[in-house]
Amino acid sequence: MDSRDEVGIVQTSIIRSTGFWAPPDVITNAELVTSYNAYAARFNADNAEAITAGEIEAVPLSSAEFISHASGIERRHVFEKSGILDIDTLVPRIPPRGFDDISVQAEFAMRAVRPALEKAGVDGSEIDGVIVASSAQQRNFPGLSCEIQNLIGASGWSFDLTMACSSALYGLNIANAMIRSGQAKRILVCSPEIMTCINVHSRRDVHFIFGDAASAMLVEADDGTPGGWEVLGTHTQNKFSNHLRSDYGFINIAEWTVDPEFKPGLDQDGHRVFKDVVSFAPIVARDLMAQLELEPEAVRRAWLHQANIRMVDLIAKRILGRDRTEENAPSILEEYGNTSSSSVVMNFEMNSDDMKPGETGIMCAYGAGYGVGAAAIRKR
Ligand code: COA
């Protein structure tokens, strides 16, 4: 079937397969807190006079119990452990690569892309478009998506998009629209998230949040092959906020020429983010459900972005109209932490095999922007 010949005909779009990969290095809360507290103790000792004089604030101590209780996270898989725990660096150690070498983030993405293609039995040359949808890309150009497109042997088009933790569902929204309108037959959406590179492991309210992982989704036009998940509809919506913000970017070098002390960081007002997102995300998911005339009782499961277990509890209840259980809105926070946009796809892949043909689920991701993405899917 060549959908492009059938102008005006709406094609059904299918999630044919997904893939994910989390690196083997794991940091427990206890390990992370030991390192953070050592950093805090050294900072406070080195700056004791200024702290006593009220010129600067002491760095407060963290605790593993607080992290488990406040977030539901017990450990996270990370790209490189030793550098994150080293109080002189607090970031992963990643050697620079040569001009012609595969880039770190593309290699990371390929670990999720390959299984997604293998499961679908699809060769990279059959992909019309590649969307890299993640919180950050390691360089400005050429697009990471161009590199991945080249690595899988695809022609056609590609582009990178960023909408923080919701990126994967923004990518799915576009892929769905392009397939439905006949502009493409097969689109790969991949989300390689190495958030430990941009997290600030010296800040108590964020040092424990993120883990690293990559995910991929193969979205295609229905050609009659059985299986997969029909995309019933997708919806995205934004509401600008500065309460969760990363300032790393291409202006930094210019800023350092003016202020060498400037530290672009990751800032969040956790309370505000919690409150705003818990009220905004369910509205977007419910709007999609209303468009599709999908009652909450007809939704067996919600695969939610894994930011914080209390947020997951509240958002699940507002979307599903019933208390969250591991059956109706599973959580993978304990093992992986917040893996940004890859989390919703990982959650779906780990917790969907038991669903039966005809059953419906909702994916919902939320994060900085604020951006919220939702997708309703039905097992075929
Ligand atoms: N270790 C130990 N104690 C800590 C701590 C830490 N890491 N962080 C805060 N505390 C203390 C506070 O000082 C406070 O103590 P006090 O009561 O004596 O003043 C107490 O614990 C509660 O702090 P609070 O900030 O109210 O915690 P919280 O329950 O609101 O949780 C966040 C804080 C950051 C976990 C929570 O606001 C959150 O998860 N927000 C959303 C963040 C998020 O998910 N962002 C990504 C969205 S995609």
Side-chain angles (χ1 to χ4, degrees):
M1 177 186 67
D2 186 346
S3 53
R4 281 162 292 201
D5 295 339
E6 301 173 2
V7 177
I9 292 185
V10 174
Q11 301 292 338
T12 300
S13 99
I14 312 280
I15 298 178
R16 174 59 60 193
S17 63
T18 57
F20 79 88
W21 184 75
D25 269 13
V26 171
I27 299 181
T28 64
N29 288 346
E31 289 171 300
L32 194 70
V33 166
T34 300
S35 146
Y36 170 91
N37 283 349
Y39 162 82
R42 186 178 71 177
F43 179 93
N44 294 341
D46 289 351
N47 296 281
E49 268 181 39
I51 291 169
T52 310
E55 290 159 13
I56 54 171
E57 295 213 355
V59 175
L61 296 184
S62 185
S63 95
E65 295 70 35
F66 173 87
I67 296 170
S68 305
H69 170 76
S71 71
I73 301 167
E74 295 295 338
R75 51 199 160 267
R76 68 283 296 139
H77 290 240
V78 298
F79 190 90
E80 198 282 318
K81 177 173 175 172
S82 66
I84 296 171
L85 295 180
D86 181 340
I87 64 171
D88 289 327
T89 54
L90 297 175
V91 285
R93 289 199 178 97
I94 301 179
R97 294 193 173 180
F99 196 76
D100 292 323
D101 295 338
I102 183 173
S103 66
V104 170
Q105 201 180 5
E107 187 176 80
F108 195 78
M110 288 301 290
R111 291 179 179 269
V113 166
R114 276 195 205 96
L117 293 179
E118 272 162 27
K119 273 181 239 166
V122 164
D123 187 76
S125 60
E126 299 173 84
I127 303 288
D128 295 330
V130 175
I131 303 174
V132 167
S134 57
S135 286
Q137 283 88 37
Q138 80 169 81
R139 61 168 183 257
N140 300 312
F141 47 80
L144 201 63
S145 57
C146 297
E147 191 177 356
I148 290 167
Q149 188 187 24
N150 184 48
L151 287 166
I152 63 173
S155 48
W157 50 267
S158 82
F159 61 89
D160 297 356
L161 77 79
T162 59
M163 187 41 71
C165 297
S166 306
S167 299
L169 294 191
Y170 277 64
L172 177 60
N173 186 41
I174 294 169
N176 181 45
M178 293 187 81
I179 285 167
R180 284 173 66 84
S181 64
Q183 291 179 70
K185 282 197 289 189
R186 247 186 222 109
I187 299 177
L188 180 70
V189 181
C190 56
S191 302
E193 296 284 18
I194 315 180
M195 291 299 287
T196 56
C197 288
I198 55 172
N199 196 8
V200 182
H201 294 102
S202 59
R203 257 191 76 159
R204 185 175 73 159
D205 59 338
V206 291
H207 80 110
F208 57 88
I209 291 181
F210 294 111
D212 300 323
S215 72
M217 272 184 281
L218 180 62
V219 191
E220 63 180 28
D222 181 12
D223 64 359
T225 308
W229 294 73
E230 179 179 346
V231 182
L232 303 176
T234 54
H235 184 38
T236 55
Q237 204 180 325
N238 292 20
K239 195 185 272 182
F240 178 68
S241 163
N242 255 330
H243 296 297
L244 178 52
R245 167 173 171 145
S246 165
D247 278 321
Y248 274 112
F250 78 100
I251 301 261
N252 291 158
I253 293 170
E255 287 166 328
W256 286 321
T257 64
V258 178
D259 178 2
E261 301 296 314
F262 173 64
K263 284 201 177 109
L266 186 107
D267 263 311
Q268 81 159 347
D269 176 341
H271 280 281
R272 191 65 198 268
V273 171
F274 191 107
K275 199 164 131 264
D276 292 347
V277 170
V278 161
S279 59
F280 183 38
I283 292 172
V284 178
R286 281 293 191 119
D287 280 353
L288 172 66
M289 288 160 65
Q291 282 167 32
L292 298 169
E293 298 181 350
L294 196 56
E295 296 299 329
E297 310 81 65
V299 176
R300 171 160 171 197
R301 187 163 294 163
W303 299 279
L304 302 182
H305 167 53
Q306 302 291 293
N308 168 297
I309 193 65
R310 290 176 300 150
M311 289 170 79
V312 169
D313 280 344
L314 290 166
I315 292 169
K317 184 163 187 177
R318 289 178 186 181
I319 293 176
L320 296 173
R322 53 194 190 266
D323 284 340
R324 185 187 83 83
T325 63
E326 279 301 303
E327 208 287 325
N328 67 26
S331 166
I332 59 170
L333 267 170
E334 189 178 317
E335 179 67 25
Y336 297 100
N338 179 344
T339 58
S340 196
S341 67
S342 65
S343 88
V344 75
V345 182
M346 290 169 70
N347 194 352
F348 165 71
E349 181 164 331
M350 280 182 234
N351 295 296
S352 52
D353 281 353
D354 61 325
M355 299 241 323
K356 296 180 189 66
E359 287 185 330
T360 300
I362 297 280
M363 293 171 155
C364 182
Y366 29 85
Y370 303 118
V372 178
I377 59 176
R378 179 166 296 153
K379 187 155 184 175
R380 290 163 25 108

